[in-house]
Amino acid sequence: MIDKKWIGHAFPPLTAKVESGQLAFFAKAVSENNPVYKDENDAIVQGYERIPAPLTFGFSLNLNTPETFGYLKDMGVPIGRILHGEQKFKYYKPILEGDEITLQRSIMDIATKKEGKMELIFEEVTMNNQNKELVGKMNIIIVVRN
Amino acid sequence: MNIPTYKDVSIGAKIPSLIKKPITRTTLALFAGASNDHNPIHIDIDFAKKSGYEDVFAHGMLVMAYLGQVLTNWVPQTSIREFSTRFKAITNLGDELKCEGVIADKMEVNGEQCVKLDLSVKNQNGDVKLAGSALVAL
């Protein structure tokens, strides 16, 4: 069982650079066909200053740590027992190649289901760019199989 | 891109769907690297078995990235206000995913004319893997 003391906990913010190489690799990995995500000239024609990060890329920026899901280890949750339950993004401004995004993860709630056989971790992550503009928010539900 | 207008879209209309190539181990290895999600459950069959699964399975965020392409093939990303999904079932190796969207509602949100879309990802057997929604300003 996860210690309920984590409810309300804000993890130290993480700053991640939106690297052009990673955007290109991501586009390849998801077999992206839309040139706006691969070709700077197309991005500029479409009205962006630089190549935009795709819709779900914020989730990857938030994993830009030496250990994937290290925060779950801190909470005592083994990585082999988690599943992704729900994911929501709210968008305020595009994230662009070269941006430095600061992500702040907070644990909003922890719920116990099925007499403890399952727990749900509700997280919120805010994303601000190098100009301190709020570019987006994520709400994440992680399912833990106990 | 021919950007749809608010008055031209009607509730119940489908947006263009997308079928992706079947999921392979290479797909998962590449996505693990590209997405920073190094959870071994998606790339290491020994770890997956030890964790109670028969084999590795796809990252939920890979499938959500595919679904997002349906939106960004339809409208510019800057029109998209919200995008959310529930991960209903595990996506397995060999699954051929079809990503679809339908206009569920038209309404004004924060002074903008918006449409709400219902989204889904199904495999070749019609099993729902992701169910989602999006709010798009037109």
Side-chain angles (χ1 to χ4, degrees), chain A residues 22 25-26 29-32 34 37 48 53-56 59-60 63-64 68-69 79-80 83-91 94 145, chain B residues 20 30-31 33-39 41 47 51 53 57 61 64-66 68-69 72-73 77-78 80-87:
Chain A
Q22 197 188 1
F25 187 15
F26 191 94
V30 299
S31 48
E32 178 64 71
N34 191 332
Y37 299 109
Y48 298 94
L55 289 174
T56 59
F59 192 88
S60 292
L63 297 178
N64 211 332
T68 308
F69 302 112
I79 197 170
L83 288 170
H84 202 158
E86 295 186 23
Q87 177 69 34
K88 179 171 189 172
F89 293 90
K90 290 184 185 174
Y91 306 101
R145 302 174 301 127
Chain B
K20 303 297 290 189
L30 287 176
F31 189 73
S35 72
N36 297 331
D37 186 342
H38 304 165
N39 187 343
I41 206 112
F47 184 87
S51 301
Y53 298 96
F57 55 90
M61 292 306 293
M64 189 173 186
Y66 288 165
Q69 292 171 359
T72 52
N73 287 345
Q77 183 169 332
T78 47
I80 301 167
R81 301 286 174 262
E82 295 182 11
F83 175 31
S84 61
T85 56
R86 275 173 291 132
F87 300 95

Side-chain angles (χ1 to χ4, degrees), chain A residues 38-142:
Chain A
K38 300 193 284 191
D39 175 353
E40 182 156 45
N41 292 327
D42 191 81
I44 288 168
V45 168
Q46 305 282 335
Y48 298 94
E49 283 177 51
R50 300 178 297 281
I51 290 180
L55 289 174
T56 59
F57 196 74
F59 192 88
S60 292
L61 289 174
N62 206 31
L63 297 178
N64 211 332
T65 54
E67 187 168 8
T68 308
F69 302 112
Y71 76 100
L72 289 173
K73 199 175 178 187
D74 293 345
M75 293 171 68
V77 177
I79 197 170
R81 292 216 204 124
I82 61 164
L83 288 170
H84 202 158
E86 295 186 23
Q87 177 69 34
K88 179 171 189 172
F89 293 90
K90 290 184 185 174
Y91 306 101
Y92 306 112
K93 274 179 172 282
I95 296 174
L96 301 175
E97 179 185 353
D99 279 354
E100 289 191 15
I101 306 296
T102 298
L103 303 104
Q104 168 74 65
R105 184 198 305 273
S106 301
I107 305 298
M108 309 307 285
D109 201 5
I110 298 169
T112 306
K113 303 275 176 192
K114 299 183 181 171
E115 294 163 346
K117 285 190 189 127
M118 195 168 95
E119 289 176 285
L120 303 177
I121 306 171
F122 296 79
E123 304 174 14
E124 183 172 276
V125 181
T126 58
M127 298 183 278
N128 286 270
N129 67 13
Q130 62 280 7
N131 303 319
K132 301 201 165 22
E133 297 168 309
L134 182 66
V135 294
K137 269 189 199 174
M138 296 188 276
N139 289 91
I140 303 164
I141 302 179
I142 299 288

Side-chain angles (χ1 to χ4, degrees), chain B residues 19-36:
Chain B
I19 295 177
K20 303 297 290 189
K21 284 191 186 142
I23 303 281
T24 66
R25 293 178 197 277
T26 302
T27 317
L28 303 185
L30 287 176
F31 189 73
S35 72
N36 297 331

